[in-house]
Amino acid sequence: MTVYLADVAPLRPDLPWKPLTIPGSGPPVELVRLEIDPADGSSTSLVRFPPGWRRPGAGHYLCGEEFVVLEGRLTVSGVAYGPGERGWIRSAVTRIDSRSEAGALALAWFSGVPAWVDGDTGTPPEPSGGRTRLLTVPVPDAGLLLRSGSAGETRLYEQAPASFAAAARVLWPAGPGGPRWTALRPGEPVPSGRTGRAFVRIGHSHEREAVAGCPPEPIT
């Protein structure tokens, strides 16, 4: 795993945003690549959707996507996601009429290379869109399991544990001072002062130091 930015405040105005045209959509979004795994193409990025962004046609990705909206509102296949809401869309699930009327900011993780394919797969979108209201859903003491599989798991905690046995990616969607995302190595302590609910993805087994330079272009 190559980490480009290990600790990020997504609302900072000086992040290295780059324009990107998502296939079948417009106008272009802006993207900050946070990390990418050269082995399988999985990646985590911040994506800023401009007002009026739309992808009206049907299509699908060849990998799964898990995302959290941090600002604004994003609609995918009739499901509207607002601030603090998480979505999970499996690979090969048809998406239709994706849009953001007033703009949105989201943290997005793809489980592989995000190759877009036009057309209906015959696998309809889930009515709920995998939506979870991270700020209000009840959370047990051990954390709420949201997803598990070969690519690891995601859990929601009322407060993040002091550390994690495996590499972890932690998002505080509504912490003091705004959202915060951090990449942690196995056993690395969670930074002090991080309070509030924590959305955690666990499962990376290979880590490298952050590299210099700009990340590669992402969504194809």
Side-chain angles (χ1 to χ4, degrees):
M1 177 63 68
T2 302
V3 180
Y4 296 102
L5 296 171
D7 189 42
V8 177
L11 302 187
R12 277 179 45 186
D14 58 345
L15 292 176
W17 295 100
K18 289 188 173 184
L20 171 76
T21 299
I22 295 177
S25 79
V29 303
E30 291 185 309
L31 183 139
V32 175
R33 174 78 84 205
L34 302 178
E35 62 178 356
I36 188 169
D37 190 335
D40 62 12
S42 62
S43 61
T44 305
S45 303
L46 289 170
V47 185
R48 186 177 294 282
F49 298 87
W53 178 84
R54 287 198 67 194
R55 178 158 59 186
H60 65 281
Y61 283 110
L62 299 180
C63 62
E65 181 188 10
E66 190 168 38
F67 59 90
V68 178
V69 173
L70 305 175
E71 280 191 328
R73 189 166 295 274
L74 177 66
T75 299
V76 181
S77 302
V79 179
Y81 305 85
E85 295 184 345
R86 167 255 190 190
W88 165 239
I89 303 175
R90 300 177 186 276
S91 62
V93 169
T94 299
R95 306 182 187 206
I96 55 174
D97 190 23
S98 299
R99 51 193 164 83
S100 181
E101 285 89 351
L105 172 65
L107 177 79
W109 170 74
F110 285 96
S111 65
V113 176
W116 175 258
V117 180
D118 288 324
D120 192 333
T121 65
T123 303
E126 297 180 19
S128 70
R131 184 176 61 184
T132 305
R133 293 180 171 89
L134 300 180
L135 304 181
T136 58
V137 65
V139 178
D141 292 342
L144 177 65
L145 179 64
L146 299 172
R147 176 187 59 79
S148 64
S150 59
E153 66 178 40
T154 53
R155 285 182 181 267
L156 180 65
Y157 293 90
E158 197 66 53
Q159 297 287 338
S163 64
F164 298 90
R169 305 296 182 258
V170 187
L171 171 69
W172 289 268
R180 193 81 181 218
W181 181 88
T182 300
L184 298 173
R185 290 180 172 82
E188 182 180 355
V190 170
S192 62
R194 303 289 170 85
T195 60
R197 290 195 168 191
F199 174 75
V200 182
R201 181 166 54 83
I202 305 168
H204 290 296
S205 57
H206 302 287
E207 297 294 321
R208 287 203 291 155
E209 293 293 331
V211 298
C214 296
E217 291 302 320
I219 303 173
T220 58

